[in-house]
Amino acid sequence: MKLYDSTIPSGNSYKVHLLLSHLGIAYDVEDLDILANPSQTREPKFLAKNPNGRIPVLELDDGTCLAESNAILYYLADGTPYLPSDRLSRAQTLQWLFFEQYSHEPYIAVLKFWTYWGGLENLSAEMRTRVTTRGQAALDVMGEHLAERSFFVGEGYTIADIALFGYTQSAAAVGFTVPASVERWLTRVRQQPGHVAIKKDPLGKAP
Amino acid sequence: MKLYDSTIPSGNSYKVHLLLSHLGIAYDVEDLDILANPSQTREPKFLAKNPNGRIPVLELDDGTCLAESNAILYYLADGTPYLPSDRLSRAQTLQWLFFEQYSHEPYIAVLKFWTYWGGLENLSAEMRTRVTTRGQAALDVMGEHLAERSFFVGEGYTIADIALFGYTQSAAAVGFTVPASVERWLTRVRQQPGHVAIKKDPLGKAP
């Protein structure tokens, strides 16, 4: 299979790299330089892979393409210990995956982007207040949930943890206050067998 | 089971009402007046049901609560014709559910809210441009995908259609241009057995 990623490190693509590493699956990578050429993902060739024109996209060996990082995680984890098999636990895993994409990523990932690559001076005061306030609220929700739990769903490490780790690992560096329970969870995630770090920024802007 | 909803019609809650109607499942409803008392979903009693403090929440008969409209849809549809059973089709269904929550709802639902209840004069020019541009882009992606298809995944009506119908049905009324293929799909969705309309706005502001 082949993963379409961006040249600069994307937390959404990283989630997929991380799960593939845990699973020991070999795959190819094609990096698109979306900073230099933002329209690259809006060209017909790429839109045939993802009509929404975004990375990551996972191309399976038969040419079928899957988009949306958390849908890709679900596909890859299905039938493995990284996705619970009972109906309720699966739904609870999805609850956290949707939380991540609706209440977390749009604020923490966006502040990360503008901090390192977009230039904070290009973010309006209104948007900056919005992303800092809402991103902090998401981290606080995580902190409460993890206060008496080791992982997000059940007793073990799942794709809910992988998805939330993607951008939470960068939250402190871009100015958020990370609750102590979340810091401890970040450490637990890094200790999982097969863990890999997010790739280096080739532009040297992200730490 | 019991569905926690808002007094004003929520497209996210409506998705759950619609699927429960298709499935013929009886349930209780508790409406929270979040316009009059926005902090109601941030009180400890409600946060115990959803740590992210949002409706809808589905409370199961054993007291277990599920949040995130699309995770609730997945839970309810699991094992029914509204969710495909094979691994790839499930992931493709999730791809559209994540598209809905990331690229569609934050723009179309938000413009609907400000149009009817928040007051458009309270939406900044920057935010208004953002929601109109991005909401239109989402509708155009749907239009392309539906150009030669009847439903979003495979040959049949699934929770991908239910999730996207939730707010797409209001898009034209709040000023978006709805592609012809999407209009035809809206009609197909309304023709499904067990279809129910979204509830009336008790304030009489939404049509």
Side-chain angles (χ1 to χ4, degrees):
Chain A
M1 52 183 81
K2 183 174 177 177
L3 182 63
Y4 291 87
D5 191 357
S6 57
T7 305
I8 58 168
S10 150
N12 285 322
S13 298
Y14 165 68
K15 299 170 190 174
V16 183
H17 287 291
L18 177 54
L19 178 57
L20 286 166
S21 174
H22 286 309
L23 295 171
I25 295 175
Y27 60 104
D28 295 324
V29 177
E30 183 170 332
D31 285 335
L32 305 183
D33 190 353
I34 53 174
L35 271 192
N37 181 9
S39 67
Q40 210 175 153
T41 57
R42 312 284 157 163
E43 286 166 7
K45 189 181 147 199
F46 192 82
L47 289 176
K49 301 184 192 301
N50 177 9
N52 200 28
R54 294 169 178 275
I55 58 96
V57 168
L58 184 69
E59 189 169 60
L60 306 180
D61 291 339
D62 70 356
T64 304
C65 287
L66 262 181
E68 297 291 337
S69 57
N70 290 354
I72 298 170
L73 289 184
Y74 195 97
Y75 175 79
L76 291 170
D78 208 349
T80 81
Y82 299 99
L83 178 64
S85 56
D86 72 287
R87 182 182 171 199
L88 180 63
S89 300
R90 281 183 176 237
Q92 289 169 330
T93 304
L94 285 172
Q95 174 179 321
W96 286 106
L97 295 181
F98 283 107
F99 166 83
E100 191 267 339
Q101 284 288 286
Y102 191 87
S103 298
H104 181 288
E105 199 270 10
Y107 310 115
I108 299 175
V110 166
L111 187 57
K112 181 180 177 185
F113 176 82
W114 291 100
T115 299
Y116 298 132
W117 302 291
L120 279 178
E121 67 280 9
N122 298 317
L123 192 63
S124 71
E126 181 189 13
M127 281 300 291
R128 189 160 177 178
T129 299
R130 184 180 166 91
V131 299
T132 53
T133 306
R134 295 186 177 203
Q136 189 61 53
L139 292 166
D140 293 344
V141 166
M142 293 172 67
E144 281 294 318
H145 188 70
L146 290 171
E148 294 178 8
R149 284 179 186 86
S150 297
F151 297 107
F152 276 88
V153 178
E155 304 296 316
Y157 173 73
T158 69
I159 54 172
D161 302 289
I162 292 174
L164 282 160
F165 183 80
Y167 285 101
T168 303
Q169 63 176 326
S170 304
V174 298
F176 290 105
T177 301
V178 177
S181 65
V182 175
E183 285 288 4
R184 290 192 296 271
W185 165 82
L186 287 171
T187 300
R188 278 193 292 276
V189 171
R190 291 191 181 100
Q191 290 167 342
Q192 297 301 309
H195 183 82
V196 285
I198 191 166
K199 72 180 178 187
K200 295 272 182 210
D201 176 13
L203 303 178
K205 293 183 175 178
Chain B
M1 51 183 82
K2 182 173 178 177
L3 182 63
Y4 291 86
D5 191 357
S6 58
T7 305
I8 57 168
S10 150
N12 285 322
S13 298
Y14 165 68
K15 298 170 190 175
V16 182
H17 287 292
L18 178 53
L19 178 57
L20 285 165
S21 174
H22 286 309
L23 295 171
I25 294 175
Y27 59 104
D28 295 323
V29 178
E30 183 170 331
D31 286 335
L32 306 182
D33 190 354
I34 52 174
L35 271 191
N37 181 8
S39 66
Q40 210 175 152
T41 58
R42 313 283 157 163
E43 286 166 6
K45 189 181 146 199
F46 192 82
L47 290 176
K49 300 183 192 302
N50 177 8
N52 200 28
R54 293 169 179 274
I55 58 97
V57 168
L58 184 68
E59 190 169 60
L60 305 180
D61 291 339
D62 70 356
T64 304
C65 287
L66 262 181
E68 298 291 337
S69 57
N70 290 354
I72 298 170
L73 289 184
Y74 194 97
Y75 175 79
L76 291 170
D78 208 350
T80 81
Y82 300 98
L83 178 64
S85 57
D86 72 286
R87 182 182 171 198
L88 180 63
S89 300
R90 281 183 175 237
Q92 289 169 330
T93 304
L94 284 171
Q95 175 180 321
W96 287 105
L97 295 181
F98 283 108
F99 166 83
E100 191 267 339
Q101 284 288 287
Y102 191 86
S103 299
H104 180 288
E105 199 270 9
Y107 310 115
I108 299 175
V110 166
L111 187 57
K112 181 180 177 184
F113 175 81
W114 292 99
T115 299
Y116 297 131
W117 301 291
L120 279 179
E121 67 280 10
N122 298 317
L123 192 62
S124 70
E126 180 189 14
M127 281 301 290
R128 190 160 177 178
T129 299
R130 183 180 166 91
V131 299
T132 53
T133 307
R134 295 186 177 203
Q136 189 60 53
L139 292 166
D140 293 344
V141 166
M142 293 171 67
E144 282 293 317
H145 187 71
L146 290 171
E148 294 179 8
R149 284 179 185 87
S150 297
F151 297 106
F152 276 89
V153 178
E155 304 295 317
Y157 173 73
T158 69
I159 54 171
D161 302 289
I162 292 174
L164 283 160
F165 184 80
Y167 285 101
T168 304
Q169 63 176 327
S170 304
V174 298
F176 291 105
T177 302
V178 177
S181 64
V182 175
E183 286 288 4
R184 290 192 295 272
W185 165 82
L186 287 171
T187 300
R188 278 193 292 275
V189 170
R190 291 192 181 99
Q191 291 167 341
Q192 297 302 309
H195 183 82
V196 285
I198 192 166
K199 72 180 179 188
K200 295 273 184 211
D201 177 13
L203 303 178
K205 293 182 175 179

